[in-house]
Amino acid sequence: MNLHATLLLLLAPLIVTIVHARLFADDFIRLPSEKSHSVGTRWAVLLAGSNGYWNYRHQSDVCHAYQLLKNGGIKDENIVVFMYDDIANNEENPRPGIIINHPDGDDVYHGVPKDYTGEDVTVDNFFAVLLGNKTAVKGGSGKVVNSGPNDHIFIYYSDHGGPGVLGMPTSPYLYANDLIDVLKKKHASGTYKSLVFYLEACESGSIFEGLLPQGLNIYATTASGPDESSWGTYCPGEHPSAPEEYDTCLGDLYSVAWMEDSEVHNLQTETIQQQYHLVKERTSNGNGNYGSHVMQFGDLQLSKEELYLYLGTNPANENFTYINSNSLRSSSKAVNQRDADLLHFWHKYQKAPEGSARKIESRKQFAEAMAHRMHVDSSIKLLGKVLFGIEKGPEVLNEVRPAGQPLVDDWDCLKTYVRTFETHCGSLSQYGMKHMRSIANFCNAGITKEQMMEASSQACPTFPLNSWSSLGNGFSA
């Protein structure tokens, strides 16, 4: 046997060992240049949960998100869009047919799929789409998330919220326990590999806190903690401000933070965790008066994955280098989500010619919104005093459960008491969702249905006859 053959025989076991080791290690260790771009199908569900021109920013956020995903190479057939679609061609819109999400931004409305619009933007349709249940969908395009076991799903929601609840332009609203149940069903069906959820809403941390378990391969971030508001941005009077002709906020602080970050980084190398920290920094705004605390929930190890797995990747960004600092300047101010409608009505009033129909209309809109707010606030305060007494009432209303606990133990109780309150006191509406914690505390304190009904009738012998308090659109629960 010659020398070469002898060496080959001696080295053969070592070569086999190295090859096997490389095959097993390949799933765990790769050089950046070796990373595989072969992933399952990427799916996305984008939902704007409001209507009305004063809520311009929510549909603007969702349209911007669509453009980001489209530029990332995700096909329309894999992106499902929910939006009321009453903004672009609204008579209030100074640029008809165009929606912008930044003061100097391009149109983000063009090309957006109109999958579920108007009265088809419902909780039931959202759940059916997520579960891939075509037969349960009512109206709309019929498009659903027909995902498989190797697929990655991205969900983005932008709207008003409250403790344990997310707004919708139709009734009922979306309650945290129902969302978590659907996410568990999706996991049990084995039809995704991992799922990332970005949530923009006031008190959005309450949607997942104490409710989203680990082990579902779901990672979620929220614009705010469970007991604080989220914030609108690019609003009139801010710096940078919306263009002069706009009387409304163009975007939301958390939302524009993650999208604008995605546009200046290579998503093949930037991880979810890196983006989370940059978005958290920008959304806190360096000022406790104008910002919120971004939070994360679920399977946090997923945050080590690169963003391209969910958002795709724009070839134009492939040479961008990740910078471990925030290159995007924070706004000097931001507007509490719940006050953005008042800001719109006020700027509309100020700019309208004296004695004009527009002046009269905007004054009426502002007055009705304020009347509704004062009615809801005073009714909840009175309800607390009727149920618990003058001294203990405010304490119960404002009680916040320890971190890690869900808002309420009995979600059916919460929904029943919301309906009871609204029957006697009128709709909570987008503003009144802030009081969900108080109503949940009635359940946690053991208040009976009969007590809730009697106290509600005492607190609200009447309620304002305006669009905010009207039950014409149905109950919130």
Side-chain angles (χ1 to χ4, degrees):
M1 184 179 291
N2 61 35
L3 180 61
H4 289 290
T6 303
L7 285 173
L8 187 61
L9 284 172
L10 291 171
L11 291 174
L14 180 60
I15 292 170
V16 170
T17 301
I18 291 171
V19 169
H20 277 276
R22 177 59 191 253
L23 288 172
F24 284 111
D26 207 38
D27 290 334
F28 301 96
I29 302 173
R30 289 181 188 269
L31 295 174
S33 60
E34 295 179 311
K35 284 185 180 177
S36 171
H37 292 265
S38 177
V39 298
T41 302
R42 300 176 181 88
W43 294 85
V45 181
L46 311 176
L47 196 159
S50 67
N51 59 356
Y53 186 75
W54 49 90
N55 289 319
Y56 181 106
R57 62 199 180 280
H58 301 136
Q59 293 183 51
S60 176
D61 292 337
V62 159
C63 289
H64 188 177
Y66 165 78
Q67 302 298 342
L68 180 70
L69 297 174
K70 185 73 172 176
N71 290 336
I74 301 180
K75 300 175 182 178
D76 280 0
E77 64 195 59
N78 301 121
I79 305 173
V80 186
V81 179
F82 287 80
M83 64 177 184
Y84 205 81
D85 197 25
D86 62 340
I87 301 301
N89 296 302
N90 193 293
E91 62 180 11
E92 298 278 354
N93 189 6
R95 302 180 190 177
I98 290 174
I99 294 177
I100 59 175
N101 197 226
H102 184 279
D104 302 316
D106 296 327
D107 175 30
V108 293
Y109 182 66
H110 70 279
V112 176
K114 309 278 185 70
D115 290 310
Y116 298 91
T117 61
E119 297 301 303
D120 295 331
V121 182
T122 65
V123 172
D124 287 345
N125 274 346
F126 173 54
F127 288 166
V129 164
L130 185 54
L131 293 173
N133 188 352
K134 280 184 82 77
T135 59
V137 168
K138 296 179 180 177
S141 68
K143 192 192 298 181
V144 298
V145 177
N146 188 26
S147 54
N150 295 318
D151 294 350
H152 301 275
I153 301 174
F154 175 68
I155 303 174
Y156 169 57
Y157 172 102
S158 178
D159 185 28
H160 293 281
V165 68
L166 299 172
M168 293 291 277
T170 54
S171 61
Y173 290 164
L174 174 54
Y175 283 78
N177 69 309
D178 296 325
L179 174 62
I180 300 302
D181 285 347
V182 167
L183 293 175
K184 289 177 179 177
K185 287 179 184 176
K186 186 68 176 176
H187 179 261
S189 70
T191 54
Y192 68 90
K193 185 173 183 179
S194 56
L195 185 154
V196 167
F197 200 130
Y198 280 16
L199 177 55
E200 171 80 65
C202 292
E203 286 93 17
S204 46
S206 66
I207 302 300
F208 298 114
E209 184 167 62
L211 293 170
L212 180 64
Q214 294 186 340
L216 299 182
N217 290 331
I218 294 175
Y219 172 83
T221 78
T222 62
S224 61
D227 56 356
E228 63 179 350
S229 298
S230 63
W231 295 78
T233 193
Y234 302 142
C235 304
E238 277 188 26
H239 180 72
S241 175
E244 176 64 26
E245 66 269 28
Y246 284 85
D247 300 324
T248 187
C249 301
L250 302 181
D252 290 293
L253 193 55
Y254 161 86
S255 293
V256 301
W258 76 259
M259 286 186 277
E260 291 179 5
D261 174 78
S262 298
E263 290 171 334
V264 297
H265 284 123
N266 180 353
L267 302 189
Q268 295 177 39
T269 57
E270 185 182 11
T271 66
I272 298 170
Q273 186 177 62
Q274 288 171 325
Q275 182 170 89
Y276 167 76
H277 287 297
L278 291 178
V279 170
K280 185 180 180 74
E281 178 190 349
R282 184 177 177 187
T283 307
S284 68
N285 218 15
N287 184 338
N289 294 325
Y290 300 111
S292 57
H293 300 87
V294 175
M295 301 188 73
Q296 56 183 345
F297 300 90
D299 295 303
L300 303 188
Q301 74 274 10
L302 291 178
S303 69
K304 296 178 182 178
E305 296 183 332
E306 288 82 9
L307 284 159
Y308 83 94
L309 289 171
Y310 304 92
L311 306 181
T313 181
N314 187 340
N317 295 0
E318 286 187 2
N319 293 325
F320 288 7
T321 302
Y322 177 77
I323 300 173
N324 193 24
S325 63
N326 213 329
S327 60
L328 303 170
R329 192 170 75 178
S330 298
S331 301
S332 60
K333 288 203 306 182
V335 174
N336 187 308
Q337 275 245 43
R338 293 199 174 95
D339 294 334
D341 56 347
L342 297 181
L343 181 76
H344 166 69
F345 298 141
W346 179 246
H347 276 269
K348 180 179 172 181
Y349 172 78
Q350 283 189 312
K351 290 163 69 173
E354 201 62 46
S356 66
R358 185 175 177 84
K359 192 90 166 178
I360 296 170
E361 178 193 36
S362 55
R363 182 172 58 200
K364 180 184 177 186
Q365 287 175 315
F366 188 90
E368 287 184 346
M370 286 302 300
H372 168 72
R373 288 170 176 236
M374 290 187 288
H375 166 71
V376 171
D377 290 346
S378 61
S379 298
I380 290 290
K381 287 180 182 177
L382 183 54
L383 193 55
K385 291 175 182 177
V386 170
L387 288 170
F388 299 100
I390 294 175
E391 291 187 5
K392 191 178 179 183
E395 179 185 325
V396 174
L397 294 178
N398 297 318
E399 183 179 349
V400 178
R401 298 181 109 179
Q405 286 192 27
L407 175 75
V408 67
D409 296 321
D410 186 344
W411 289 88
D412 289 335
C413 173
L414 173 61
K415 295 170 190 175
T416 298
Y417 288 8
V418 166
R419 289 179 68 96
T420 301
F421 175 84
E422 290 188 324
T423 298
H424 295 278
C425 301
S427 176
L428 285 166
S429 80
Q430 63 184 44
Y431 172 78
M433 282 191 280
K434 65 182 285 186
H435 293 297
M436 284 290 179
R437 188 180 306 280
S438 297
I439 300 175
N441 288 343
F442 299 161
C443 294
N444 295 334
I447 295 298
T448 66
K449 293 180 183 178
E450 292 72 24
Q451 288 174 311
M452 183 66 184
M453 193 177 299
E454 177 62 27
S456 297
S457 65
Q458 289 182 42
C460 303
T462 61
F463 58 82
L465 298 176
N466 60 50
S467 59
W468 297 102
S469 297
S470 170
L471 288 171
N473 291 326
F475 292 97
S476 301

